[in-house]
Amino acid sequence: MKVLWIVNKPIGALHEKLFGKKSTGGLWMEAMLERSREDQSISIVIVNISFVREVQKYVFKNETYYTIPGVPNEKYDYKSQKAHRYWREIIKAEKPDLIELWGTEMPFSIPALEEAGNIPSVVYVQGILDSIGRYYQAGLTADELRKSYTFRDVITGDTIKKVQKRYLKRAVIEKQLVSMAKNIIVENQWAESYYMRMCHDVRVFRCPLSISEIFSSIEWSFEKMQPYTIMCSAANYPIKGLHMLLKALTIVKAYYPDVKLFIPGTPLRPVNSVKSWIKQSGYDKLIRLMISELGCAEVVSYTGRLTAEDMAKKNV
């Protein structure tokens, strides 16, 4: 059986070839890809979009990768003849038995489904854009939103309120993709109910995301663990709730002064020049202010970007 995956960034062997290291994003896809390699009856074709001039193809053992040209965001021209031609040629060459969309973030999947003909397709739900759009501010107060404004965000249109509006706009594409695919894979009743309300005739399948085997091969122990530590999974924009976690941390810190909060991802860049002041994002600015105002500087530590192995080791 041949399955064509549509993803929004390079993963697996392609990521290692392009960047010389394993991916630190989309670990759930990496885990599922790792698990699929155990079944020789399944072959995977993975397509992503990037700033390339022409379609690029890579083959690694039982996996085939394509990168198609285009802007990897909501501005992608999914109605263009080129977009349809790219997908038409890939589908004709690979003849997949199933098309699987990993998420509904970007519209470049639309021409794929339009060119798929009778090939069945399914969306693996990773996040519900309509819900993210509705709750993107995640409890931020009017004062906190005001503090989050930066020169960069105003110029680029990336203020928290404007990003929220973009999510709500992309939710229209999300509904279109789910309606076209007619099938979704979810992990919980909440996601199922949300999509059933959005598209009444969608077929729902349950399949929990795979967890990388590295998390079971590295064992936690009382002797090795670092006491009073908290680790969040992501923290780069409001919906992840780091601002809420920092407020809760002050309560924990009152009872456990030795508590440590580890935050994966790119550390906050110091604002010590005009250039760094101009480049800082609003949410980073807000988090920096909160860490200072809440007196959490000594207990908060950024780990840098982590692979699955790095994350597993950090959690023990």
Side-chain angles (χ1 to χ4, degrees), residues 62-287:
N62 199 35
E63 296 165 9
T64 301
Y65 295 79
Y66 288 90
T67 298
I68 63 175
V71 181
N73 59 31
E74 65 274 7
K75 295 180 181 179
Y76 180 75
D77 186 5
Y78 61 88
K79 296 180 180 180
S80 71
Q81 292 184 359
K82 281 187 177 180
H84 283 77
R85 176 169 56 82
Y86 297 147
W87 286 108
R88 186 163 56 249
E89 292 176 352
I90 290 173
I91 291 171
K92 182 179 179 181
E94 296 298 336
K95 297 179 177 60
D97 299 296
L98 175 68
I99 295 177
E100 183 172 349
L101 286 65
W102 284 89
T104 56
E105 290 90 344
M106 304 302 171
F108 70 93
S109 299
I110 291 178
L113 296 187
E114 289 177 338
E115 295 294 336
N118 295 323
I119 301 171
S121 56
V122 61
V123 176
Y124 205 125
V125 174
Q126 298 181 191
I128 302 175
L129 300 185
D130 183 70
S131 179
I132 293 173
R134 289 170 183 262
Y135 305 106
Y136 187 78
Q137 294 183 23
L140 289 170
T141 66
D143 185 55
E144 288 167 340
L145 287 171
R146 179 184 57 79
K147 289 179 179 179
S148 73
Y149 276 79
T150 63
F151 178 81
R152 169 195 174 276
D153 284 3
V154 172
I155 295 299
T156 60
D158 283 340
T159 62
I160 290 173
K161 285 189 175 181
K162 287 190 176 181
V163 172
Q164 180 180 29
K165 288 181 180 179
R166 290 209 295 271
Y167 269 103
L168 290 171
K169 186 177 181 180
R170 286 162 58 188
V172 177
I173 298 295
E174 172 183 56
K175 184 175 181 179
Q176 183 178 348
L177 281 170
V178 172
S179 297
M180 292 174 70
K182 296 183 174 62
N183 301 283
I184 59 171
I185 300 173
V186 300
E187 295 190 276
N188 53 62
Q189 182 65 47
W190 175 79
E192 178 178 344
S193 299
Y194 208 105
Y195 275 110
M196 289 294 289
R197 177 187 63 83
M198 188 185 299
C199 305
H200 302 298
D201 59 346
V202 69
R203 293 178 64 196
V204 180
F205 300 89
R206 291 287 188 96
C207 179
L209 285 169
S210 293
I211 298 176
S212 176
E213 292 183 1
I214 192 67
F215 287 97
S216 58
S217 64
I218 298 178
E219 295 184 1
W220 182 91
S221 69
F222 184 82
E223 291 75 20
K224 294 180 181 179
M225 68 89 175
Q226 185 175 346
Y228 309 118
T229 58
I230 302 169
M231 180 131 184
C232 63
S233 61
N236 60 332
Y237 61 120
I239 201 70
K240 299 297 184 181
L242 177 59
H243 54 285
M244 290 293 189
L245 182 55
L246 289 173
K247 293 175 184 178
L249 184 64
T250 61
I251 301 173
V252 176
K253 184 171 175 286
Y255 292 92
Y256 302 96
D258 295 331
V259 67
K260 291 288 184 183
L261 171 62
F262 291 110
I263 305 172
T266 304
L268 293 173
R269 298 180 177 88
V271 181
N272 50 17
S273 66
V274 174
K275 184 177 180 181
S276 60
W277 178 82
I278 290 174
K279 292 180 69 175
Q280 69 174 327
S281 74
Y283 193 63
D284 281 357
K285 175 188 175 184
L286 179 62
I287 293 302

